[in-house]
Amino acid sequence: MVNEDNGEPYDESTYRHWVSTARAVVIFGFLAHDNARQAILRAERLNAELIKKR
């Protein structure tokens, strides 16, 4: 399979990132006023803050 964004083959790190992103959105929620990109950015920011506090 080829990544349509860059023309390179997918590797395990590509999937790992998207699984991590989806998990963060599920954990932190999708606010009603957010679009998908806003929800992803918010979830990734909150996830990074949580990891930093460990």
Side-chain angles (χ1 to χ4, degrees):
M1 291 195 324
V2 175
N3 183 335
E4 294 175 357
D5 292 332
N6 62 17
E8 298 289 322
Y10 278 110
D11 62 14
E12 65 185 46
S13 67
T14 302
Y15 293 116
R16 188 175 322 139
H17 169 76
W18 285 114
V19 168
S20 175
T21 298
R23 182 177 51 232
V25 171
V26 169
I27 291 168
F28 294 108
F30 193 115
L31 302 178
H33 64 275
D34 285 349
N35 63 35
R37 185 70 190 138
Q38 291 169 322
I40 289 169
L41 291 174
R42 176 179 166 273
E44 288 179 339
R45 178 180 51 79
L46 292 170
N47 194 45
E49 288 178 19
L50 185 64
I51 290 169
K52 194 167 43 174
K53 291 182 180 185
R54 284 186 182 177

